[in-house]
Amino acid sequence: MCGRYASTLPPEMMQELFKTLNSIELMPRFNIAPTQPVAAIWEESNRREAHFARWGLVPRWVKDPREFPLLINARVETMAEKPAFRDALKHGRCIIPASGYYEWRTNPDKSKQPFYITHEDGHPMALAGLYATWSGPEGEEVDTVATITVPANGQLSVIHDRMPAILEGDAIEQWLDVRGTDARTAYQLALPLADGALKFHPVSTRVNSARMDDPALIEPVSDVRPEPVIKKKAGGGAQMDLF
């Protein structure tokens, strides 16, 4: 899954790269977490614009979001059938600009080591996403999004079995064109990137806390794997325990 990411693109760069008709004020973020406002791009009435949206999709038909599960990811294998995602796949596709994302590897001792994952060439990412606008009883409207995940490629499988669907080139144009690209075609665009397209390095476990948000979070740290602690049995025998 993708549960944290960073976005440090200046507004003018995001507008130029993704060809939006507008620009929104953005501060560099290094630890974006679910339920927080994120920048997302979609097309509506032939206008491609950037918006702020809540990370955690809430379909239009939900009566009370507080009683609805937090949907931050849509699995590519089931998004076309799940009631929460199937309409958005047809009419509410978006991209979520990112500089990189975090994933956690489970170590043999069950501890978790976070990694920061970026394009090999450092180019910004376009995470494939779905959006929906929830309307409340008082007329309030909230734009909400979820990222799409796919099976990890061979390179990333050493960290986790899932990865976000990252769009490139013409796939971005097709994904956002909800009028010209039907859901079946769009579904086929959400694929794992090829091995070698991404790079990663271990980072501090400070990223585990959503309160942390500073440039040091994306800096590499030593990848220290847990070493077995060998203790002798009481009595000095030769047999040892492995922990």
Side-chain angles (χ1 to χ4, degrees), residues 39-228:
I41 296 169
W42 60 77
E43 291 185 1
E44 197 170 22
S45 301
N46 289 324
R47 294 180 59 86
R48 180 182 299 186
E49 296 184 339
H51 306 260
F52 283 115
R54 174 187 182 269
W55 189 9
L57 188 137
V58 181
R60 299 174 186 273
W61 42 263
V62 170
K63 292 183 178 180
D64 187 350
R66 293 170 298 183
E67 299 178 359
F68 192 72
L70 182 62
L71 302 178
I72 65 169
N73 296 144
R75 294 174 66 94
V76 70
E77 298 91 338
T78 57
M79 65 180 180
E81 289 79 36
K82 293 283 187 180
F85 301 127
R86 61 190 178 200
D87 286 342
L89 179 61
K90 296 176 183 177
H91 311 295
R93 300 191 298 268
C94 67
I95 59 171
I96 299 168
S99 303
Y101 74 96
Y102 299 96
E103 194 53 84
W104 281 256
R105 183 193 66 196
T106 302
N107 294 318
D109 67 349
K110 305 305 180 183
S111 64
K112 291 183 181 292
Q113 172 62 54
F115 286 80
Y116 184 58
I117 303 163
T118 61
H119 265 138
E120 176 63 34
D121 60 5
H123 195 76
M125 295 176 170
L127 307 183
L130 303 173
Y131 80 91
T133 301
W134 179 80
S135 298
E138 304 299 325
E140 66 273 28
E141 291 190 342
V142 181
D143 293 327
T144 66
V145 297
T147 55
I148 294 171
T149 67
V150 296
N153 62 22
Q155 179 190 22
L156 272 295
S157 63
V158 298
I159 299 176
H160 199 272
D161 62 353
R162 306 290 296 181
M163 65 184 293
I166 302 171
L167 303 175
E168 297 182 314
D170 189 54
I172 296 174
E173 305 303 314
Q174 294 183 65
W175 182 261
L176 292 178
D177 184 8
V178 293
R179 290 187 174 186
T181 305
D182 61 22
R184 182 183 297 273
T185 303
Y187 171 87
Q188 297 170 351
L189 298 172
L191 299 169
L193 287 186
D195 289 348
L198 301 172
K199 61 182 178 180
F200 55 85
H201 58 256
V203 295
S204 169
T205 54
R206 289 198 309 118
V207 75
N208 295 352
S209 171
R211 296 192 301 272
M212 300 293 104
D213 192 349
D214 59 77
L217 294 177
I218 66 175
E219 295 298 322
V221 298
S222 297
D223 182 11
V224 181
R225 292 177 173 81
E227 297 291 337

